[in-house]
Amino acid sequence: MADAIVRIEPYGAVIYLPGQAATVRLDREEARSLLDYGGNFPENLTAPEIAHLEISNRCNLNCRYCYVDKRGRELTTGQWKRIIEDLARNGIFQLTLGGGEPFMRGDIFELASFVRGLGMNLALTTNGTLLEDDPRLALFRQINFSVHGNLEELKPKIELALKHTKVGINFVVRRSTLGELRQVADYCRLRGIELLLLSYKPVNGDAEEAIKPSVVMQFGMRLASTGVRVAVDGMTCGKCLAAQRFVDIDSLGNVFPCSFIREPIGNLLEQPFAEIWRRRKVPERCPYE
């Protein structure tokens, strides 16, 4: 475990192995015995494990359920690098580059290379339409495609990505997309792709589109029983990770508890991440439950 990143946490310890992109959690007894740790345990989590970076607020699509404000200005390459360095110093294990559409930025591979050079795991979330065949896609340990009624259009792009790295499909389960779920699941089963089912959060007020998270979980369990590699989000499994294992950072440096709670808890151009994290308030409950 020479390259392992170890953090002592209230429950014990968390170990991240960059080479395998694997996370191991130890309880307090295991932390003392396996890590020979003799100190006190902190009262609060020292940092999240994952940060989602909205590196662009621009997008070539106009999905009506999108939660990102199209502000027309974004952080520079240098500003993003300083933020990424700050996150690395705080022991964050994984970054996911997203947006908006991250491929709207010309520096996406420069930023990806910078993240990997700091030893962090790196993923990407994209609508897929702008993705081109490029060996630098291997900088991402996984590329997640957001699929919303355009699977056939995206299949060539997905196959390009599969040449270089692992692929996942993010599928938001809404009433208007239910008819597409089986087709997407069948494709994931055929290609060995991970299917991430996301409960719909009506950020823009269209609550009639939402399906109960417990029902989404049932869909996931049924698909898993047929051989589909299924994952679900925290809302679906009843374990909100907002401002705990996860934070979201928008294209202007604002830090949010998660991608869907759009009330900032600080800005990384004004405060270091450690200070924002220390002063944060963990949401008592998901506002979309």
Side-chain angles (χ1 to χ4, degrees), residues 173 175 199-200 209-219 235-236:
V173 183
R175 295 194 181 280
S199 291
Y200 183 60
E209 279 283 293
I211 294 174
K212 290 183 178 180
S214 59
V215 176
V216 177
M217 176 64 84
Q218 290 174 12
F219 291 154
M235 183 174 173
T236 300

Side-chain angles (χ1 to χ4, degrees), residues 131-226:
L131 183 145
E132 300 294 340
D133 193 4
D134 192 312
R136 291 176 295 178
L137 293 173
L139 289 166
F140 303 100
R141 290 194 180 273
Q142 182 160 309
I143 296 176
N144 300 308
F145 289 79
S146 298
V147 174
H148 37 77
N150 58 341
L151 178 61
E152 291 302 318
E153 175 189 343
L154 286 179
K155 280 183 179 179
K157 301 289 189 176
I158 293 172
E159 297 300 327
L160 284 180
L162 282 168
K163 291 169 53 179
H164 304 286
T165 190
K166 295 179 181 178
V167 164
I169 285 181
N170 293 353
F171 187 87
V172 180
V173 183
R174 300 179 290 139
R175 295 194 181 280
S176 58
T177 63
L178 272 180
E180 306 159 15
L181 179 54
R182 181 169 295 279
Q183 178 193 12
V184 173
D186 288 344
Y187 178 65
C188 288
R189 184 189 302 107
L190 176 67
R191 300 297 285 121
I193 291 171
E194 179 183 77
L195 174 61
L196 173 60
L197 296 183
L198 302 163
S199 291
Y200 183 60
K201 294 88 175 171
V203 176
N204 297 320
D206 50 346
E208 70 280 358
E209 279 283 293
I211 294 174
K212 290 183 178 180
S214 59
V215 176
V216 177
M217 176 64 84
Q218 290 174 12
F219 291 154
M221 294 175 67
R222 290 173 192 162
L223 291 174
S225 70
T226 68

Side-chain angles (χ1 to χ4, degrees), residues 48 50-54 67-69 71 241-268 273 276-277 280-281 283:
I50 302 169
H52 177 245
L53 309 187
E54 301 172 18
Y67 56 81
V68 176
D69 292 330
R71 303 186 181 188
L241 307 179
Q244 298 181 81
R245 287 181 55 201
F246 179 89
V247 292
D248 178 272
I249 301 167
D250 77 0
S251 56
L252 296 179
N254 294 305
V255 182
F256 300 97
C258 82
S259 304
F260 301 97
I261 301 176
R262 307 304 286 183
E263 297 179 5
I265 57 177
N267 185 286
L268 288 167
F273 182 80
I276 294 173
W277 181 257
R280 81 197 190 285
K281 291 184 179 180

Side-chain angles (χ1 to χ4, degrees), residues 3 10 12 39 49 78 99 122-123 126 138 146 156 214 218 235 239 253 270-271:
D3 63 342
E49 296 175 24
L122 180 64
T126 175
S146 298
S214 59
Q218 290 174 12
M235 183 174 173
K239 296 180 180 179
E270 302 169 358
Q271 301 167 281

